[in-house]
Amino acid sequence: MLPEWMSAKAVAAEGLSRRTFLKAGAAAGGGLVLGFYLPGSGRLALAAEAKPVYVPNAFLKIAPDNTVTVMVNRLEFGQGVQTGLPMLIAEELDADWSLVRSELAPAEDVYKDPVAGMQMTGGSSAIKNSFMQYREIGAKARAMLITAAAQQWNVNPKQCRTENSMVLGPNAKKASYGSLVDAAAKLPIPEKVTLKDPKQFRIIGRPTPRLDAAAKSSGKQQFGMDVQLPGMKVAMVARPPVFGGKPAKWDAAKAKAIKGMVDAFEVPTERGGKGIAIVANGYWAAKQGRDALEVEWNTASLKKVDSAKQLTDYKALAGKPGLLAKEADISKLESAPKKIVAEYEFPYLAHAPMEPLNCTVDLKDGACTVWAGSQFQTVDREAVARVSGLKLEQVTLNTVAAGGGFGRRAVATSDYIVEAIHVAKALKASGKGGPLKVIWSREDDIKGGYYRPSVVHRAEIGVDAKGKVLAWNHTAVGQSLLAGTPFEKWMKDGVDGTLIEGLGEPYEMPLKVNVHHPDENVPVLWWRSVGATHTAYVTETLIDELAHLAGRDPVAYRRELAGSDKRYLAALDAAVKNSGYGKKTLPKGHAWGVAIHKSFNSYVAYVVEASVENGAPKLHKVTAGVHCNRAVNPLSIEAQVEGAVLMAVGTTLPGSAVTLKAGVVEQQNFSDFMVARLPDMPQVSVHIVPSGEAPTGMGEPGFPPLAPAYANALFKLTGKRLRKLPFDLNQA
Amino acid sequence: MTTLNINGADKELEADGSMPLLWALREQLGLTGTKFGCGAALCGACTVHLDGQAIRSCITPVSAIAGKKVTTIEAMENDSVGKAVQAAWVRHDVPQCGYCQSGQVMSATALLRTNTNPTDAEIDAAMGGNICRCGTYQRIRAAIKDAAKSLAAAKGEKHAA
């Protein structure tokens, strides 16, 4: 959901451990609390007091009743982090898994990702970046519990061991963790601990059901949308139809006549625009009020995107050299005996998480509390402070479970949160202040901006008589995700790497890449697997085409080109072997398709089985080969692959595109922005390559190779190379 | 003042007749298990039962349900079919983000009440209106079949006794 650099390049893990210290303390009602704290943090005092009711920086709480509560420094929005991170602590703690609970941490410095240096959820990084962090916390708590027991029994700690939330000592001595926590809380935290030998793992690597499955099957899970505060009002915002537009004039008289209406205010919106916030006692009154609002918008000076024209422009740009992103000797292109010239088109895509955006704000004099399903707590909390005019420590941002996100809740401008603060400020200024929830309708979500950019790729590939690639000249055209944001510093020589990440990889060939980043009046954003949503499609359909041109089997061709990349080969082999590819006879009218891609340092290979039924493509089976190093929770990895497959199938369906006309988004709901439904779900089986290396993430890597594998199967059935998403079998 | 029968009890609420049942449940009765996803009967997140039938509460005005019984996700643990569906959901580790799952459980429960052994095609037809962006459909399909089995087994036991 975020580019790989965000989790890979930023702050070194050691940097954080030098600045932070582990702190033990007593919990409310007794118990051991283990948390990091930053020296000088104003909130530290709370944790050091004898009777804290709120410990803002705790990672782990063990209560006298033996329950273990793990604070998760991420957003849970489906990916299973609220189960995965507790597994790491529970492993080293030797906790009884049935006693483990988890909670989402609010925005605090201590909860920053130890590698990325900010509290965020993205880049498939949670398990990867916090693997050691969470294990160490568990191991240190275990060591303290052992020390506490050894002191009580007057034995050497080395004579003690742990098992299922119990310390076991000589002469059959036994003490539950809960009975030891008050003593343990008084001990110093060991600076160094020895982590388990992976051979001893009994939780890490075990398929572990989600801790939140029951709450999420019974309506008990609380999401941001469910936050209810006494006297809370609900607001909707009438946003300009063209991004950056402003009301020329507006009249809320009819709106205010609606029962339950409170007030209407002009508030700043994205890209320098302005909208009208309609505040009411509930959603229905706000909705009716907004429908009754009369607004004349001023959009005269704004650039208005027209998707058809944009495509023509992008194609023209793709024929011209732009900014050099990758150099290679492509001098053999002109004289190559065979040539492929391919142009690809990808549309804008909405994230469309099932829970529409919302943000609850309680703005008071000198304090602001926000509840949001934020993927970007650090950035969002700073934005709240900036916009509300408060100091950072006066702002509390509570992370609430989100109904999906896929990147939409990680916005550099904190758009939906900033907007909610503006509404709260206006309401407070009017003297009607109090808690407020801003709710986006589905229409607001589809029309309100922040899309996967529309992209055109153009490849010219020269091939020798045997099918070997002599030269590949490539141009990609798409808006930059980073330009104009605080992350712009990651651009190099004007090139935004997210547009071309993974292109042509890992194959060794002379590939020259140029990019164009047109400036368009459409907000764009990372979207599950970011650039790989299109670069993998381009790469893997072209590799298939090259194999076909060379008269080679696409699996054998890939294997040869990937050469020494062992993880690649292992993932590919796992998918091939388990699918029966090349061995099993498929039903008449069915065909195989293969693709593989590495993103976020995890490899996913797919062998798929597809057909064309009544003129429409149909995906039947997907066999996945996955290499993500050590699999912490195989069950979670399977679910992420299933989910990524389904989301990718969605991008192939007719109507799965956001288009604009005269600057206005043409789609509005699930009636015209199509997503995959249950009948679209293929049968997915997931095969994980065993590995003992440090884990890499799996929230996104399942997405990129699916659509190209499907397209490669459809080529076999139709003879057509599908060069755009969503699929169009009738394309020229 | 409108009186609605929700989960077996009469509830009085102040809502004009045009208010969709969804918002009466969520904002006036505090039953937030029923979710807002699209407001246009396109995604199924707001599915509840009206006299046992699955309906989309986001487009059903409260004026249309006078004299009928509304059942929401909050009452499913007291419903033999709903309880079996929820148990199967947990066994199959169905939810991811979980936001659509109240609606999925409600649609699946309504299906199994009238069809004790649904085929894939029947599951497609009954569940096609419930969107899940996380892609839990394969597990939903398996959990529905598993719940059907467990319900049949429970019924067999009752008959045997």
Side-chain angles (χ1 to χ4, degrees):
Chain A
M1 291 144 231
L2 296 180
E4 197 167 346
W5 50 260
M6 198 171 276
S7 54
K9 284 185 190 166
V11 184
E14 303 90 284
L16 188 75
S17 58
R18 269 200 300 274
R19 286 186 289 113
T20 58
F21 301 85
L22 264 176
K23 172 81 185 168
L32 172 65
V33 175
L34 216 55
F36 286 105
Y37 72 92
L38 296 169
S41 155
R43 289 169 176 253
L44 168 62
L46 278 173
E49 279 169 14
K51 45 175 181 42
V53 286
Y54 169 57
V55 184
N57 56 7
F59 274 81
L60 168 63
K61 299 177 218 174
I62 307 173
D65 70 356
N66 289 310
T67 52
V68 173
T69 305
V70 174
M71 295 301 279
V72 169
N73 62 352
R74 311 279 166 165
L75 173 68
E76 172 62 66
F77 56 161
Q79 84 281 37
V81 72
Q82 231 181 317
T83 304
L85 289 180
M87 285 172 71
L88 302 176
I89 280 190
E91 176 69 70
E92 296 289 346
L93 181 61
D94 266 343
D96 177 346
W97 181 249
S98 69
L99 300 170
V100 176
R101 318 274 179 266
S102 64
E103 289 173 20
L104 299 180
E108 285 291 347
D109 283 352
V110 292
Y111 296 121
K112 285 179 177 176
D113 179 305
V115 179
M118 61 187 277
Q119 193 175 347
M120 62 99 187
T121 307
S124 297
S125 65
I127 295 292
K128 182 176 71 173
N129 292 356
S130 288
F131 185 63
M132 296 306 281
Q133 180 190 22
Y134 272 68
R135 284 178 66 197
E136 271 176 20
I137 292 164
K140 287 181 177 180
R142 174 179 169 273
M144 292 164 73
L145 292 160
I146 286 180
T147 305
Q151 285 176 358
Q152 273 180 22
W153 298 332
N154 206 13
V155 301
N156 187 326
K158 285 183 181 157
Q159 292 174 280
C160 301
R161 60 190 182 89
T162 52
E163 195 179 292
N164 253 8
S165 287
M166 303 281 282
V167 180
L168 309 172
N171 305 321
K173 285 193 194 314
K174 227 173 166 180
S176 72
Y177 284 179
S179 70
L180 295 166
V181 287
D182 287 338
K186 297 182 185 97
L187 295 171
I189 296 175
E191 279 203 11
K192 277 190 178 173
V193 279
T194 309
L195 297 181
K196 275 187 185 176
D197 181 328
K199 282 182 199 131
Q200 299 170 293
F201 285 167
R202 55 180 193 97
I203 294 176
I204 293 175
R206 187 174 77 189
T208 304
R210 303 178 63 102
L211 291 174
D212 54 11
K216 287 181 172 178
S217 303
S218 60
K220 287 178 185 147
Q221 175 71 51
Q222 293 282 301
F223 297 90
M225 191 69 90
D226 303 328
V227 173
Q228 299 281 356
L229 301 170
M232 188 181 81
K233 297 181 179 67
V234 171
M236 295 185 83
V237 177
R239 298 180 186 84
V242 178
F243 298 107
K246 291 173 182 170
K249 55 180 178 182
W250 58 282
D251 183 351
K254 284 182 191 158
K256 285 181 179 172
I258 306 261
K259 198 182 159 199
M261 268 290 300
V262 174
D263 213 337
F265 309 101
E266 204 166 287
V267 290
T269 55
E270 284 283 278
R271 297 197 162 222
K274 279 190 173 165
I276 314 295
I278 301 289
V279 184
N281 288 334
Y283 180 87
W284 187 239
K287 165 85 166 56
Q288 286 178 303
R290 193 174 68 168
D291 289 348
L293 181 74
E294 292 171 303
V295 197
E296 210 175 283
W297 296 99
N298 182 357
T299 62
S301 63
L302 299 167
K303 283 188 198 166
K304 298 182 185 70
V305 170
D306 189 293
S307 290
K309 181 173 184 305
Q310 186 192 62
L311 183 60
T312 310
D313 293 347
Y314 278 22
K315 284 184 171 178
L317 278 174
K320 295 174 194 164
L323 297 165
L324 182 66
K326 193 180 172 196
E327 186 56 287
D329 177 9
I330 55 163
S331 55
K332 289 179 182 161
L333 185 62
E334 289 310 313
S335 58
K338 290 183 190 173
K339 246 183 175 184
I340 293 172
V341 179
E343 211 164 59
Y344 287 83
E345 302 165 23
F346 302 89
Y348 288 111
L349 290 176
H351 302 75
M354 285 315 294
E355 179 192 12
L357 294 174
N358 61 84
C359 179
T360 300
V361 182
D362 191 5
L363 178 64
K364 293 180 173 142
D365 288 330
C368 185
T369 309
V370 173
W371 291 260
S374 166
Q375 281 182 255
F376 248 12
Q377 290 98 325
T378 301
V379 170
D380 290 342
R381 186 183 180 201
E382 285 168 3
V384 172
R386 194 171 61 242
V387 177
S388 63
L390 295 170
K391 292 176 190 155
L392 195 63
E393 58 267 28
Q394 294 173 308
V395 174
T396 304
L397 189 143
N398 294 307
T399 311
V400 198
F406 317 113
R408 181 62 181 90
R409 303 180 198 275
V411 192
T413 62
S414 306
D415 69 324
Y416 68 101
I417 289 173
V418 161
E419 187 190 79
I421 302 299
H422 282 304
V423 181
K425 275 173 74 178
L427 186 67
K428 188 166 177 286
S430 77
K432 296 169 196 153
L436 167 88
K437 177 157 59 186
V438 176
I439 298 180
W440 292 48
S441 69
R442 179 58 59 193
E443 289 80 7
D444 296 338
D445 171 63
I446 302 287
K447 289 188 173 297
Y450 288 107
Y451 308 110
R452 195 283 306 271
S454 60
V455 180
V456 165
H457 283 272
R458 183 187 161 85
E460 258 185 278
I461 306 176
V463 181
D464 74 9
K466 288 176 184 167
K468 186 175 180 269
V469 174
L470 299 172
W472 177 341
N473 188 23
H474 196 97
T475 309
V477 185
Q479 285 170 257
S480 167
L481 301 180
L482 307 177
T485 78
F487 307 114
E488 189 168 331
K489 61 190 173 203
W490 295 105
M491 291 175 73
K492 203 167 168 263
D493 301 329
V495 175
D496 182 339
T498 64
L499 182 67
I500 49 165
E501 57 186 353
L503 182 75
E505 292 176 3
Y507 310 109
E508 281 185 22
M509 21 191 183
L511 167 63
K512 179 177 177 175
V513 183
N514 274 266
V515 302
H516 297 267
H517 294 307
D519 184 18
E520 303 280 3
N521 186 19
V522 182
V524 289
L525 188 62
W526 21 71
W527 191 105
R528 196 177 195 172
S529 81
V530 197
T533 54
H534 47 91
T535 59
Y537 188 85
V538 171
T539 303
E540 286 298 305
T541 53
L542 283 171
I543 290 294
D544 199 78
E545 197 164 342
L546 287 164
H548 185 76
L549 195 67
R552 303 282 310 277
D553 171 75
V555 171
Y557 187 79
R558 278 183 175 80
R559 199 171 261 137
E560 200 175 281
L561 269 184
S564 60
D565 192 335
K566 284 182 184 157
R567 294 178 72 206
Y568 173 107
L569 293 170
L572 184 60
D573 285 347
V576 168
K577 277 180 193 152
N578 288 294
S579 65
Y581 176 88
K583 289 184 179 163
K584 200 173 88 180
T585 310
L586 292 180
K588 198 165 175 279
H590 287 215
W592 299 110
V594 178
I596 174 168
H597 193 71
K598 176 178 86 164
S599 56
F600 307 93
N601 205 20
S602 289
Y603 292 76
V604 177
Y606 288 129
V607 175
V608 307
E609 186 184 329
S611 70
V612 176
E613 290 176 7
N614 305 318
K618 173 84 185 164
L619 186 61
H620 299 276
K621 281 187 186 168
V622 175
T623 308
V626 172
H627 201 314
C628 57
N629 289 344
R630 183 178 298 284
V632 170
N633 186 359
L635 203 52
S636 179
I637 292 166
E638 284 173 26
Q640 285 309 295
V641 172
E642 288 165 23
V645 163
L646 189 273
M647 208 163 176
V649 168
T651 65
T652 71
L653 299 172
S656 64
V658 167
T659 56
L660 297 99
K661 198 159 185 139
V664 179
V665 171
E666 295 184 284
Q667 292 70 28
Q668 57 176 355
N669 206 316
F670 293 124
S671 51
D672 46 13
F673 179 72
M674 306 309 277
V675 299
R677 291 173 182 269
L678 188 137
D680 301 311
M681 185 81 203
Q683 192 188 321
V684 181
S685 64
V686 180
H687 305 274
I688 302 168
V689 178
S691 164
E693 299 297 315
T696 53
M698 277 305 294
E700 296 161 273
F703 185 97
L706 192 278
Y710 192 3
N712 292 338
L714 293 172
F715 166 75
K716 286 195 196 148
L717 295 164
T718 65
K720 286 181 182 174
R721 289 290 174 189
L722 300 175
R723 304 243 193 251
K724 64 181 183 182
L725 287 176
F727 288 158
D728 177 7
L729 291 186
N730 300 317
Q731 72 179 46
Chain B
M1 202 71 91
T2 312
T3 305
L4 298 180
N5 187 281
I6 313 286
N7 297 334
D10 280 343
K11 304 274 181 192
E12 295 213 328
L13 48 101
E14 266 188 60
D16 80 70
S18 74
M19 179 187 279
L21 174 61
L22 170 68
W23 298 106
L25 292 171
R26 288 183 56 80
E27 294 187 342
Q28 304 211 5
L29 300 172
L31 296 172
T32 55
T34 304
K35 301 302 183 200
F36 168 55
C38 70
L42 296 164
C43 80
C46 68
T47 305
V48 299
H49 295 169
L50 189 63
D51 287 344
Q53 302 269 336
I55 61 143
R56 311 300 186 209
S57 65
C58 73
I59 56 153
T60 307
V62 294
S63 62
I65 57 170
K68 296 181 180 173
K69 287 183 183 342
V70 176
T71 315
T72 70
I73 184 73
E74 284 86 358
M76 283 302 102
E77 53 192 38
N78 302 317
D79 177 291
S80 59
V81 178
K83 203 172 165 180
V85 169
Q86 287 178 328
W89 245 240
V90 172
R91 273 200 301 280
H92 289 264
D93 213 33
V94 169
Q96 287 188 29
C97 88
Y99 193 78
C100 73
Q101 298 298 343
S102 293
Q104 304 279 3
V105 165
M106 295 307 282
S107 289
T109 303
L111 167 67
L112 290 176
R113 278 220 191 99
T114 54
N115 184 342
T116 53
N117 190 18
T119 63
D120 279 345
E122 287 163 344
I123 292 173
D124 281 4
M127 304 299 294
N130 285 80
I131 295 174
C132 168
R133 284 288 272 162
C134 298
T136 64
Y137 296 134
Q138 174 163 306
R139 286 160 197 266
I140 286 175
R141 198 189 288 280
I144 289 175
K145 290 180 177 176
D146 193 17
K149 269 188 204 159
S150 69
L151 284 164
K155 209 175 171 188
E157 274 164 32
K158 233 182 250 172
H159 282 291

